[in-house]
């Protein structure tokens, strides 16, 4: 049983000035307020580049999106009782459906889709809180989760190309800058390579007269963000609801990461984290902001500083809230030209796709298993090619169809293969193109019959089964 701690009272860690070797500042602790404030500001910088890119890529008002990330972060803190340090930044998983719906029905209908996504995620959070998170792993094992995350990133590739075409040289400068900063600099600068790459690309765009400053002079210094009302159309649900699978994976992964780094058991917080992000996403959609998610960028800051204090995130939230009240600040951000956006999007969309691959690698997904191979193969092609199905006025595009196919193919193939015993059959050439997987531990767990070339000529059906098994394993016969 975890002892309850006062929500707005943090215990001073050590002398409040430093973190000793092997120590971490836990969520209910803090350093001195001066240092905690500095770390909170650092979290704002860490989330800034990615959080602002989402509204710029989707056409949503930057200040409005920033406003709702701040409100969402405060809500997340309250709902999770301050036990899970997190900043709720803009979700890249929602870019594709927002672009699709905004171009056809309008941005307010995209807001309705964001609200539906948040409501579904909040409902999942309630179920997880009372029933546990085990069922998520059953419905969405790593091969499915990785496929969904990957197809979302790769589905966005045409959007990146469209921006690049409007400023190819600027885009290339932005891409090269991001790549070089990543490998040239250590610490916070290296971690913020996208932000600094965008700044360099912006400078290149200035030299080429690609930046329009007219809107800056018209913007006020202080004022509320621009809020817009949502609209709803059932046809958008097929585009938005599948994003819930990605948000689930991101939130569960965040909770597990924080638990691993702090040494605290946060399993009982998983449902609350999902619910909090769902409510935050609903709130953002209701006023014109992008949907939210827990941010990996801020995990990097915590890992570097070893400070996991939730107090730093409250400071970050209120700092972002203050910035969102400066329309001129948002107008400056909105001047970033298409070439810069295309360069940053090329890197970011590719990273989203490869995050799915990373899920496969980290969980050691066995692609010599035809069930896993077919699950990923079909889902990726559907997502990348953007297959479309429009039954009865509803529109299902690549992300929705790919996500549902990943779940359906895995569950059906897995069930049939277990019933029929075909999960034990030899791998096909497609599942083991190099042949090396035939000798792997993963394949050894599934095999049923000996490899044909393991039995000497003339002895087929003569050797005892145990002897054949030993020959396969490279062990001497008895």
């Amino acid at each position: 049983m975890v002892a309850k701690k006062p929500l707005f009272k943090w215990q001073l860690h050590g002398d409040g000035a430093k973190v000793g070797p092997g120590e971490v500042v836990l969520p209910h602790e803090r350093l001195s307020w001066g240092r905690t404030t500095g770390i909170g500001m650092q979290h704002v910088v860490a989330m800034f580049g990615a959080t602002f890119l989402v509204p710029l890529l989707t056409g949503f008002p930057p200040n409005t999106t920033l406003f709702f990330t701040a409100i969402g972060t405060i809500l997340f803190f309250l709902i999770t009782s301050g036990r899970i340090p997190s900043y709720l930044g803009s979700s890249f998983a929602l870019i594709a459906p927002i672009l699709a719906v905004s171009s056809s029905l309008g941005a307010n209908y995209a807001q309705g889709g964001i609200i539906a996504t948040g409501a579904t995620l909040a409902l999942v959070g309630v179920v997880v809180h009372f029933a546990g998170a085990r069922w998520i792993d059953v419905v969405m094992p790593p091969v499915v989760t990785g496929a969904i995350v990957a197809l979302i990133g790769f589905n966005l590739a045409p959007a990146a190309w469209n921006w690049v075409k409007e400023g190819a040289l600027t885009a290339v400068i932005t891409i090269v800058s991001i790549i070089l900063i990543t490998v040239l600099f250590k610490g916070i600068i290296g971690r913020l390579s996208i932000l600094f790459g965008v700044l360099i690309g912006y400078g290149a765009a200035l030299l080429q007269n690609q930046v329009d400053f007219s809107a800056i002079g018209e913007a006020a210094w202080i004022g509320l963000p621009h809020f817009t009302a949502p609209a709803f159309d059932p046809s958008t649900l097929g585009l938005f609801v599948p994003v819930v699978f990605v948000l689930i994976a991101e939130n569960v992964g965040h909770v597990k990461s924080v638990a691993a780094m702090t040494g605290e058991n946060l399993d009982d917080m998983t449902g609350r984290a999902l619910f909090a992000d769902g409510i935050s996403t609903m709130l953002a959609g209701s006023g014109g902001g992008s949907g939210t998610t827990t941010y990996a960028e801020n995990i990097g800051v915590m890992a570097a500083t070893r400070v996991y204090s939730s107090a730093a995130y409250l400071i970050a939230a209120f700092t972002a809230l203050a910035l969102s009240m400066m329309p001129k600040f948002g107008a400056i951000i909105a001047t970033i030209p298409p070439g810069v956006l295309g360069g940053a999007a090329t890197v970011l969309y590719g990273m989203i796709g490869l995050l799915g691959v990373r899920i496969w690698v980290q969980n050691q997904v066995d692609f010599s298993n035809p069930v896993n191979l077919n699950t990923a193969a079909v889902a990726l092609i559907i997502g990348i090619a953007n297959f479309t199905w429009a039954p009865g006025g509803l529109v299902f595009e690549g992300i929705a169809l790919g996500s549902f196919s990943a779940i359906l193919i895995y569950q059906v193939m897995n069930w049939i293969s277990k019933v029929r015993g075909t999960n034990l059959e030899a791998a096909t050439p497609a599942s083991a193109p190099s042949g090396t997987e035939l000798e792997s531990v993963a394949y050894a767990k599934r095999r049923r019959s000996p490899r044909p070339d393991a039995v000497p000529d003339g002895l087929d059906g003569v050797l005892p089964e145990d002897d054949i098994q030993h020959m396969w394993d490279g062990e001497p016969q008895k």
Side-chain angles (χ1 to χ4, degrees):
M1 190 74 176
V2 178
K4 290 187 176 180
K5 300 178 177 65
L7 193 57
F8 294 100
K9 187 175 181 181
W10 293 270
Q11 178 182 338
L12 189 67
H13 179 88
D15 60 2
K18 60 181 182 295
V19 184
E23 296 179 354
V24 296
V25 179
L26 295 173
H28 65 275
E29 298 179 325
R30 65 170 176 84
L31 296 177
S32 66
W33 281 116
R35 289 175 173 80
T36 301
T37 300
I39 292 172
M41 299 288 189
Q42 193 169 327
H43 279 300
V44 173
V45 175
M47 67 84 189
F48 185 85
T51 288
F52 263 106
L53 272 177
V54 174
L56 289 174
L57 297 174
T58 57
F60 279 25
N63 278 35
T64 307
T65 293
L66 185 62
F67 175 86
F68 283 112
T69 65
I71 297 298
T73 300
I74 295 171
L75 281 174
F76 191 92
F77 169 84
L78 295 173
I79 293 173
T80 61
S81 302
R83 290 182 57 196
I84 305 177
S86 177
Y87 193 93
L88 293 191
S90 303
S91 172
F92 277 85
L94 285 159
I95 292 177
I98 289 175
L99 288 174
V101 173
S102 295
S103 62
S104 58
L105 298 175
N108 54 341
Y109 285 94
Q111 291 176 230
I114 293 172
I115 293 174
T117 302
T120 307
L121 182 62
L123 179 61
V124 172
V126 173
V127 173
V128 169
H129 183 72
F130 291 103
R134 175 75 181 98
W135 65 274
I136 294 177
D137 295 328
V138 174
V139 176
M140 294 196 315
V143 64
V144 172
T145 306
I148 293 174
V149 174
L151 69 85
I152 285 179
F154 297 141
N155 176 270
L156 289 166
W161 172 235
N162 288 335
W163 277 305
V164 170
K165 287 188 291 186
E166 296 188 42
L169 177 59
T170 304
V172 171
I173 292 173
T174 304
I175 294 171
V176 172
S177 299
I178 293 172
I179 292 172
L180 290 180
I181 290 171
T182 301
V183 293
L184 287 175
F185 297 95
K186 299 178 180 179
I188 190 65
I189 295 179
R191 292 181 183 277
L192 299 178
S193 58
I194 291 176
L195 175 60
F196 287 108
V198 167
L199 292 175
I200 293 172
Y202 190 87
L206 280 173
L207 295 176
Q208 300 173 72
N209 297 317
Q210 296 176 347
V211 183
D212 181 6
F213 294 107
S214 59
I216 298 176
E218 300 171 4
W221 281 103
I222 298 176
L224 287 172
H226 177 67
F227 300 116
T228 55
F232 298 91
D233 190 319
S235 66
T236 66
L237 297 180
L239 293 168
F240 278 93
V241 173
V243 174
V244 172
F245 298 128
V246 180
L247 298 180
I248 291 172
E250 289 176 338
N251 278 274
V252 172
H254 185 89
V255 173
K256 289 181 178 179
S257 296
V258 173
M261 290 186 287
T262 61
E264 295 194 333
N265 186 351
L266 299 174
D267 289 347
D268 60 321
M269 288 285 107
T270 303
R272 288 199 193 187
L274 294 168
F275 179 77
D277 191 16
I279 295 298
S280 173
T281 297
M282 289 179 66
L283 190 61
S286 67
S290 304
T292 60
T293 189
T294 49
Y295 249 32
E297 287 85 347
N298 298 94
I299 282 281
V301 173
M302 289 191 289
T305 61
R306 290 179 291 151
V307 176
Y308 300 88
S309 174
S310 57
Y313 280 99
L314 277 186
I315 291 171
F318 283 110
T319 301
L321 193 63
L323 289 174
S324 72
M325 303 289 187
M326 300 171 60
K328 198 173 287 292
F329 174 74
I332 294 173
I333 299 300
T335 62
I336 297 177
V340 178
L341 296 178
T346 299
V347 178
L348 285 169
Y349 295 170
M351 284 183 175
I352 295 171
L354 289 177
L355 279 176
V357 178
R358 182 182 178 189
I359 291 173
W360 293 334
V361 173
Q362 288 181 331
N363 291 277
Q364 298 180 329
V365 174
D366 174 21
F367 282 110
S368 68
N369 184 341
V371 174
N372 292 338
L373 185 71
N374 284 278
T375 297
V378 175
L380 284 179
I381 292 300
I382 290 175
I384 294 171
N386 200 35
F387 284 25
T388 304
W389 180 42
L394 291 175
V395 179
F396 299 93
E397 293 192 355
I399 291 178
L401 295 176
S403 300
F404 287 129
S405 67
I407 296 173
L408 183 64
I409 291 171
Y410 177 82
Q411 297 298 337
V412 172
M413 285 190 70
N414 195 46
W415 177 73
I416 293 176
S417 67
K418 287 181 178 179
V419 171
R420 294 284 299 151
T422 52
N423 63 316
L424 302 174
E425 295 292 346
T428 66
S431 62
S434 66
T436 57
E437 288 88 345
L438 294 173
E439 304 296 341
S440 68
V441 174
Y443 181 71
K445 294 178 180 178
R446 299 190 291 108
R447 68 192 180 206
R448 179 175 64 183
S449 57
R451 198 176 61 210
D453 60 3
V455 183
D457 292 339
L459 294 181
D460 188 10
V462 176
L463 292 179
E465 184 176 344
D466 287 345
D467 287 348
I468 295 175
Q469 186 68 52
H470 286 306
M471 291 177 67
W472 188 336
D473 293 335
E475 297 176 12
Q477 286 182 245
K478 297 177 183 176

